[in-house]
């Protein structure tokens, strides 16, 4: 039972680290005004996000911001409603 718990803990840490890397890459692209590429990374991070509602809301917000800066206001509005 202890081994299973350890394996699950390590797996969770690895998955969380991978998600953080994706979000950090998205944040970097966003800062460099590469919104289309950032959007793809934020969507990828969202698809891998845990059930944490705050994390999902923050990613939805960033997705909406990407759409806003890409002048796709309809998608930006939809994204804000989902955040």
């Amino acid at each position: 039972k202890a081994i299973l718990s350890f394996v699950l803990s390590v797996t969770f840490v690895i998955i969380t680290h991978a998600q953080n890397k994706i979000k950090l890459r998205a944040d970097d692209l966003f800062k460099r005004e590469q919104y289309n590429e950032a959007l793809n990374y934020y969507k990828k991070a969202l698809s891998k996000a845990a059930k944490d509602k705050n994390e999902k809301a923050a990613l939805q917000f960033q997705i909406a911001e990407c759409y806003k800066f890409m002048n796709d206001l309809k998608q930006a509005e939809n994204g804000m409603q989902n955040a």
Side-chain angles (χ1 to χ4, degrees), residues 3-68:
I3 293 173
L4 177 61
S5 179
F6 174 75
V7 169
L8 290 175
S9 295
V10 169
T11 303
F12 177 76
V13 168
I14 291 169
I15 291 171
T16 302
H17 178 70
Q19 289 171 341
N20 286 342
K21 269 182 86 170
I22 294 169
K23 185 184 178 304
L24 289 174
R25 176 74 174 138
D27 290 342
D28 181 56
L29 290 164
F30 187 88
K31 287 176 189 170
R32 291 190 283 139
E33 300 179 2
Q34 296 179 7
Y35 304 116
N36 194 43
E37 250 187 281
L39 176 65
N40 292 328
Y41 277 90
Y42 284 127
K43 285 181 175 181
K44 191 175 194 178
L46 183 62
S47 73
K48 296 177 183 285
K51 294 184 178 183
D52 181 351
K53 289 181 183 180
N54 291 332
E55 179 185 359
K56 287 186 175 188
L59 290 167
Q60 285 285 6
F61 178 80
Q62 285 305 119
I63 289 169
E65 287 289 287
C66 288
Y67 281 124
K68 180 179 81 175

